[in-house]
Amino acid sequence: MLELRHRGGCPGPGGAVAPPPREGEAAGGDHETESTSDKETDIDDRYGDLDSRTDSDIPEIPPSSDRTPEILKKALSGLSSRWKNWWIRGILTLTMISVFFLIIYMGSFMLMLLVLGIQVKCFHEIITIGYRVYRSYDLPWFRTLSWYFLLCVNYFFYGETVADYFATFVQREEQLQFLIRYHRFISFALYLAGFCMFVLSLVKKHYRLQFYMFAWTHVTLLITVTQSHLVIQNLFEGMIWFLVPISSVICNDITAYLFGFFFGRTPLIKLSPKKTWEGFIGGFFSTVVFGFIAAYVLSKYQYFVCPVEYRSDVNSFVTECEPSELFKLQSYSLPPFLKTVLRQETVSLYPFQIHSIALSTFASLIGPFGGFFASGFKRAFKIKDFANTIPGHGGIMDRFDCQYLMATFVHVYITSFIRGPNPSKVLQQLLVLQPEQQLNIYKTLKTHLIEKGILQPALKV
């Protein structure tokens, strides 16, 4: 019926819709014109109505192969599928946590590389789904342009990071100074080249689908690259702003799964039938307690609380500083009912522990909606997991769907409630300026201080 309304014709043999005869044209008109018209109509019928497809029209994607190690399969062969999956998930979770601890020990630079690697893998998984769903159309340049845009967006975001945090290093390299000075223009030129390549790749029978996949690529970039950039920005504020939010999401995933596995009875949301209210509530309280304790432990060490800075003299990242007030013990008066229970007037806490409650609450109440969003996406394309990278867990994106939402919240939280002027960052920005600009700033600042009476004018001899 939709086709009839669009074309004003009626179906012929095989369901094809014949266009109405043109004005002044006989029914038995020119055969060549009719043949060409029919051919164009067939192409439109085949490729042009993609936006009218329902979820049931999406082609089935073959399920991913099982990548569980054979040694685990043999060891768990006598268990039911439910308990087998429980043990596989548990063993792989402990393995991933152990590797994560090792990377933390190796330092902030390795954590940045880890975030970048996860970003690339998540992008690959989402783009591959689009390619597998629509591969029968054989879109020209689709994969090439997708990866090109990934490089362009990474160049833009991480070039900004280099300019902000590596100014002293850039100062010594003349080639880098040129790249930093014209960074945004170069980034725009690179993107513009990709945009032009996309336009040149448009093929008549693929128009609508190509624009669908162009939008697919850009939404994927928004989800993966921008969020991973925010994760690294949080890391530069101090490793604690990276570890507490990420570990809170991990804790919520684990505890919600455990509470749901053993006590779950009440379904939570239709998008994820295995999620239960028992798991959701149990995960919330467990995560808040975990975040509070983790914040207390990590606040004791400079390695975790100091901003990550690049030192040109040692050519490496350092985490040395005088901890801010957020990470110094302070006494707080207890509410009257707690004074009676605990039999003490005050309690000593790190102020960051109070902030950790907000972070943990978001991780356990709002963070799961990132997972629900991912569940809806997978249901739309009739897939169980984004990939089969991790046995029992699915793809990398399956494990980090909630982390991206958390990264944005932490960045907004820091800029709204925590961050003040960073003297080292201001100094780095000054060092990048030309000597004449530095001299003008110095004269303006000196004049201002003299006017305020903070600085005495030099005596003329």
Side-chain angles (χ1 to χ4, degrees), residues 191-361:
Y191 179 83
L192 201 60
F195 180 81
C196 292
M197 284 191 288
F198 168 75
V199 174
L200 293 174
S201 73
L202 291 172
V203 179
K204 184 175 182 181
K205 63 181 180 181
H206 296 319
Y207 286 156
R208 192 174 303 175
L209 185 58
Q210 284 181 285
F211 279 102
Y212 281 164
M213 302 317 296
F214 183 78
W216 181 296
T217 299
H218 282 66
V219 171
T220 305
L221 291 171
L222 176 67
I223 293 172
T224 57
V225 182
T226 57
Q227 304 305 312
S228 65
H229 175 69
L230 294 181
V231 171
I232 292 180
Q233 292 288 311
N234 299 339
L235 178 58
F236 274 110
E237 296 296 325
M239 207 178 292
I240 197 167
W241 290 104
F242 172 84
L243 294 177
V244 170
I246 283 181
S247 58
S248 294
V249 173
I250 294 172
C251 174
N252 186 67
D253 279 347
I254 294 172
T255 54
Y257 174 76
L258 292 176
F259 275 95
F261 185 87
F262 290 107
F263 309 109
R265 296 292 182 274
T266 313
L268 175 63
I269 186 170
K270 290 182 179 179
L271 281 173
S272 277
K274 293 184 179 180
K275 298 288 193 303
T276 63
W277 275 104
E278 291 80 3
F280 186 75
I281 295 171
F284 165 69
F285 286 107
S286 302
T287 304
V288 171
V289 172
F290 169 83
F292 194 78
I293 296 173
Y296 176 80
V297 174
L298 297 180
S299 295
K300 296 179 178 182
Y301 303 99
Q302 281 191 17
Y303 182 73
F304 297 114
V305 304
C306 291
V308 177
E309 295 180 354
Y310 176 79
R311 287 266 299 274
S312 57
D313 53 340
V314 294
N315 197 31
S316 66
F317 292 98
V318 295
T319 50
E320 298 175 358
C321 68
E322 176 64 27
S324 68
E325 294 299 317
L326 273 178
F327 308 107
K328 294 180 179 178
L329 279 173
Q330 297 184 19
S331 295
Y332 294 91
S333 297
L334 291 172
F337 71 94
L338 284 179
K339 289 179 182 178
T340 306
V341 175
L342 300 177
R343 296 181 180 179
Q344 59 185 49
E345 297 289 325
T346 61
V347 63
S348 294
L349 296 173
Y350 292 101
F352 181 76
Q353 288 181 267
I354 299 173
H355 293 291
S356 74
I357 296 175
L359 300 177
S360 301
T361 300

Side-chain angles (χ1 to χ4, degrees), residues 17 29 64 71 90 135 266 319 399 413-414 446:
V17 178
S64 302
I71 188 171
R135 63 182 173 179
T266 313
T319 50
R399 292 277 57 83
Y413 190 88
I414 291 173
K446 182 179 177 181

Side-chain angles (χ1 to χ4, degrees), residues 57-105:
D57 297 324
I58 299 296
E60 294 279 358
I61 298 179
S64 302
S65 58
D66 186 8
R67 300 182 62 178
T68 306
E70 289 297 327
I71 188 171
L72 275 181
K73 288 182 179 179
K74 292 179 180 179
L76 305 174
S77 58
L79 299 176
S80 65
S81 60
R82 183 170 182 261
W83 278 100
K84 187 185 297 184
N85 183 63
W86 191 90
W87 277 105
I88 291 173
R89 286 176 66 99
I91 293 170
L92 269 297
T93 297
L94 292 175
T95 304
M96 289 188 289
I97 291 174
S98 301
V99 172
F100 185 55
F101 281 145
L102 177 62
I103 295 175
I104 293 171
Y105 175 77

